[in-house]
Amino acid sequence: GRCYLYMKTIERAAFPRRLWERVLLSKNYEKALEEIDENLIYWPRFIRHKCKQRFTKITQYLIRIRKLTLKRQRKLVPLRRKIERREKRREEKALIAAQLDNAIEKELLERLKQDTYGDIYNFPIHAFDKALQQQDAESESESDAEKEEEDDEDTDKREFVEADDSDLSDFEDMDKLETSSEEEQEEEEEVEKKASYAKSKGKTPLKGPARRKQRYIQIEYEKETEPTTKTKAA
Amino acid sequence: AGGGSGPVGSAAEDGGPPAPERVLFPPTFSVSEIKNKQRRHFMFLRWKQQQRKEKLAARKKRRKEREALGDKAPPKAVPKTIENQRVYDETTVDPNDEEVAFDEATDEFAPYFNRQTVPKILITTSDRPRGRTVRFCEQLSTVIPNSHVYYRRGLALKRIIPQCIARDFTDLIVINEDRKIPNGLLLSHLPDGPTAHFRMSSVRLRKEIKRKGKEPTEHVPEVILNNFTTRLGHSIGRMFASLFPHDPQFIGRQVATFHNQRDYIFFRFHRYIFKSEKKVGIQELGPRFTLKLRSLQKGTFDSKFGEYEWIHKRREMDTSRRKFHL
């Protein structure tokens, strides 16, 4: 933009159309300052000074505008309230319909079934059940061998998994292992439980959950030791 | 009112067999014709109660019939959901489609899926990010392995992109911020790949999520992509998949999920543990956000001259509540 110098004098106050006198200033900054000086020659020093200050400010912000238009400009996109509200509502409903936790769990279990995790997790129980159903013969020996291995791996798993839940979950697994060959299982379970019972007696800080485990174990224990004690006595 | 609604009533009830011209119907009136608001409201409530009673009676009758029939009862009616009623999109991908498979073997993500490139991601923001956005960027960089956060101090994207390509970055994520919260995400696959612009909403940082988990570890997480059915959804899904390295480390037990539901993509980051072969426990860690696709552009970021593959046009695409594009 070009800058003009506007001057008014009291003599022209009666003629508003001709009140302001306009002078185009040159593009060169110094020359323009000289022109201002020339035009305002008999005006008080203070007014001249202020005029030149104002001119400096104007030129500087014009320079800045030109620089900024070359750079990236932020585009403001207006939000429409109705649409925002609608989107928000739909998002909430979609979230509820999605049932994310269930979906994720299902997907993970699918992947487990399809063996993408390989040998890390060893719960092949249901896979073996299916194998049992498919192959009628030679089922019991296989499952026995595998279950012995599973017990070993359950003890390994206790290290692999953190926190107290692991022990309880192992016992849940133990309960679910009663598909076939229960006698051997019972013996192994009792061995396991005796070991853990001894362990939990040692652990003093975990009194609360350990006690709960003890009670749980005790109930099971009473049921199962009776036949063995009887057989031992006999 | 009676005389006015006489012909109306006859026209409404002139159902099956062609009625003779001179028919006598009892003068009915609809509730909406009463001028007095209080009375109209009262009559409407009464009508509503009656409808509800009828519905309840019908339901009871149906239940009795089902019990009476026992095994021979017809199967329960499936309730209509928006997903059931979704308008069929002709671009839905059939898993056995050869054309789609061929397209995917030759598009920009093929080198990733053929394991020729390792993803390397640059995360940045718009100018002058505020605290929330900065923290979100940091958390996002912990979630996505092999990602780097750089602050943009007024640099133009078009100048950043050649530099990124020179330094071997495969993806660029720009998080746009408005009023101190992140609200937009621009995902650009770098060596000349598509650029997707999303609107991001409901961002929750790690400390705002109610969970008792630790920080995500450095293991490569698994990726779950749910419900990306159409061609567009497929390409977006592949874009997301190409952010993560191909071989997840199962020791880490972390999973990043992108779940698409009604055109909203929910991102979650969990740690899972298999309690048994039928039960898995998941614990949420890491940020969560939802995305809604706004536009998909063919080349790298170029808003003026780029070729847009898909733009969300509100007037055309938001007309039906049962039509979704992803």
Side-chain angles (χ1 to χ4, degrees):
Chain A
R2 302 298 304 273
C3 288
Y4 289 86
L5 175 65
Y6 282 81
M7 292 174 283
K8 71 172 173 178
T9 52
I10 46 168
E11 289 88 24
R12 299 202 296 271
F15 315 106
R17 259 179 95 219
R18 287 175 249 153
L19 182 59
W20 290 99
E21 185 187 332
R22 182 165 84 170
V23 175
L24 178 64
L25 298 173
S26 92
K27 265 198 178 170
N28 189 346
Y29 179 66
E30 282 101 28
K31 266 203 203 155
L33 287 180
E34 284 169 13
E35 281 175 21
I36 291 176
D37 263 335
E38 259 179 87
N39 277 307
L40 300 179
I41 194 165
Y42 295 117
W43 289 50
R45 195 169 12 119
F46 177 72
I47 293 182
R48 254 183 285 150
H49 182 68
K50 278 304 198 181
C51 182
K52 282 187 272 184
Q53 270 190 336
R54 231 179 301 137
F55 173 69
T56 315
K57 199 197 296 186
I58 290 173
T59 49
Q60 284 183 344
Y61 74 58
L62 283 177
I63 292 171
R64 203 152 167 253
I65 288 174
R66 276 178 235 136
K67 250 195 239 170
L68 283 178
T69 51
L70 290 175
K71 276 196 184 172
R72 301 147 49 230
Q73 287 190 324
R74 205 170 284 231
K75 184 175 176 194
L76 296 175
V77 175
L79 293 177
R80 300 227 170 75
R81 212 176 300 173
K82 182 175 171 186
I83 293 173
E84 291 296 307
R85 267 192 269 152
R86 184 167 57 166
E87 298 286 314
K88 209 163 138 203
R89 218 171 29 226
R90 286 197 185 161
E91 189 189 317
E92 285 164 8
K93 294 194 176 170
L95 183 64
I96 295 171
Q99 294 177 356
L100 283 168
D101 291 339
N102 291 352
I104 297 176
E105 286 172 10
K106 237 193 259 181
E107 179 66 32
L108 289 170
L109 289 171
E110 273 291 315
R111 290 189 183 180
L112 183 68
K113 265 197 202 150
Q114 283 164 8
D115 225 10
T116 44
Y117 299 128
D119 285 329
I120 311 177
Y121 303 104
N122 290 296
F123 307 108
I125 300 179
H126 274 264
F128 275 129
D129 277 344
K130 285 178 190 168
L132 289 176
Q133 285 163 15
Q134 286 170 11
Q135 306 168 8
D136 295 324
E138 74 201 23
S139 54
E140 289 174 21
S141 54
E142 267 184 69
S143 52
D144 292 346
E146 301 305 335
K147 271 151 195 171
E148 285 175 11
E149 284 175 18
E150 278 167 15
D151 292 330
D152 295 336
E153 273 139 280
D154 284 340
T155 52
D156 289 339
K157 246 196 292 155
R158 234 176 263 143
E159 294 159 18
F160 163 74
V161 162
E162 355 172 2
D164 297 325
D165 295 336
S166 60
D167 290 335
L168 276 176
S169 68
D170 286 339
F171 291 125
E172 288 172 7
D173 291 340
M174 294 299 192
D175 293 333
K176 284 170 196 165
L177 279 179
E178 299 170 24
T179 47
S180 59
S181 71
E182 294 185 51
E183 297 170 347
E184 295 182 23
Q185 275 190 314
E186 279 174 18
E187 287 180 356
E188 285 158 352
E189 284 177 53
E190 284 165 23
V191 164
E192 285 271 350
K193 282 170 187 173
K194 276 181 191 165
S196 61
Y197 193 59
K199 271 189 200 170
S200 53
K201 270 187 177 171
K203 280 182 207 168
T204 39
L206 293 170
K207 274 186 185 173
R211 272 196 196 143
R212 264 188 263 131
K213 283 177 212 161
Q214 286 179 21
R215 272 185 227 139
Y216 180 78
I217 292 164
Q218 276 174 1
I219 294 170
E220 296 270 338
Y221 220 61
E222 282 162 15
K223 281 180 191 171
E224 282 156 20
T225 43
E226 281 168 17
T228 53
T229 47
K230 277 182 188 170
T231 51
K232 276 179 193 169
Chain B
S5 58
V8 171
S10 64
E13 298 169 19
D14 208 2
E21 289 180 35
R22 289 236 140 244
V23 181
L24 288 171
F25 286 114
T28 54
F29 65 96
S30 69
V31 177
S32 55
E33 281 177 0
I34 305 174
K35 297 277 181 171
N36 184 335
K37 183 168 178 178
Q38 206 176 16
R39 237 183 280 160
R40 189 173 64 226
H41 185 62
F42 175 74
M43 296 302 287
F44 175 72
L45 288 178
R46 215 166 66 171
W47 176 80
K48 256 303 204 210
Q49 275 178 3
Q50 204 176 26
Q51 296 289 97
R52 247 181 270 150
K53 255 192 238 170
E54 285 170 17
K55 195 169 166 192
L56 198 62
R59 198 183 291 173
K60 277 203 179 134
K61 201 174 102 177
R62 244 184 288 138
R63 194 182 298 165
K64 277 220 181 86
E65 282 172 12
R66 164 163 285 122
E67 279 171 20
L69 286 179
D71 277 333
K72 290 178 284 178
K76 264 195 176 176
V78 178
K80 294 188 202 169
T81 62
I82 292 185
E83 282 79 30
N84 288 352
Q85 307 295 100
R86 174 176 173 174
V87 166
Y88 176 70
D89 201 345
E90 63 262 359
T91 61
T92 312
V93 171
D94 183 34
N96 306 330
D97 203 343
E98 292 160 355
E99 189 192 327
V100 175
F102 177 71
D103 270 341
E104 290 181 358
T106 52
D107 76 350
E108 292 104 354
F109 298 108
Y112 166 75
F113 282 101
N114 294 338
R115 298 180 191 235
Q116 288 163 6
T117 53
V118 175
K120 189 172 171 197
I121 311 210
L122 178 69
I123 302 181
T124 182
T125 64
S126 56
D127 291 336
R128 298 192 162 254
R130 313 299 288 182
R132 221 182 132 86
T133 315
V134 165
R135 268 177 276 146
F136 176 67
C137 283
E138 287 169 27
Q139 293 182 5
L140 202 61
S141 70
T142 57
V143 165
I144 305 178
N146 204 3
S147 63
H148 308 268
V149 182
Y150 284 108
Y151 292 118
R152 180 135 75 103
R153 287 147 4 103
L155 301 168
L157 269 184
K158 293 214 190 129
R159 294 219 192 105
I160 297 184
I161 286 174
Q163 288 185 17
C164 287
I165 299 177
R167 291 185 205 184
D168 248 0
F169 279 97
T170 56
D171 287 278
L172 174 69
I173 297 181
V174 182
I175 296 185
N176 188 52
E177 187 207 345
D178 178 49
R179 287 215 210 148
K180 305 176 194 170
I181 48 166
N183 74 345
L185 184 104
L186 183 84
L187 172 58
S188 181
H189 189 70
L190 273 181
D192 200 39
T195 308
H197 182 42
F198 298 94
R199 184 219 302 259
M200 185 155 63
S201 48
S202 67
V203 175
R204 301 276 175 265
L205 300 177
R206 214 165 267 152
K207 63 177 183 176
E208 292 163 12
I209 302 178
K210 296 176 188 161
R211 87 275 182 279
K212 299 154 207 149
K214 297 183 191 162
E215 305 289 310
T217 57
E218 288 297 318
H219 296 113
V220 172
E222 297 174 45
V223 180
I224 293 182
L225 299 164
N226 270 344
N227 263 346
F228 288 96
T229 47
T230 65
R231 282 299 289 270
L232 179 66
H234 233 63
S235 48
I236 301 280
R238 283 160 69 78
M239 266 188 110
F240 285 131
S242 72
L243 290 177
F244 293 90
H246 229 285
D247 302 309
Q249 295 172 315
F250 299 123
I251 318 170
R253 283 186 289 135
Q254 289 169 145
V255 58
T257 309
F258 291 91
H259 181 102
N260 171 39
Q261 185 84 13
R262 303 182 195 175
D263 278 355
Y264 288 95
I265 303 172
F266 297 101
F267 171 81
R268 299 285 186 271
F269 193 72
H270 290 277
R271 178 169 280 146
Y272 62 88
I273 172 171
F274 284 106
K275 294 183 194 155
S276 71
E277 83 283 355
K278 283 278 182 182
K279 263 208 301 185
V280 58
I282 51 175
Q283 190 187 58
E284 183 163 5
L285 32 107
R288 66 154 88 152
F289 50 89
T290 63
L291 300 171
K292 186 158 200 275
L293 181 67
R294 254 203 265 192
S295 68
L296 179 64
Q297 187 199 340
K298 264 255 173 263
T300 54
F301 178 70
D302 193 341
S303 51
K304 274 194 265 182
F305 305 111
E307 180 197 335
Y308 278 93
E309 200 175 310
W310 190 85
I311 311 182
H312 176 81
K313 293 192 192 134
R314 188 173 49 89
R315 295 204 178 208
E316 297 168 16
M317 298 181 183
D318 268 356
T319 46
S320 161
R321 288 186 208 198
R322 311 277 181 263
K323 186 165 168 55
F324 305 114
H325 310 283
L326 271 188

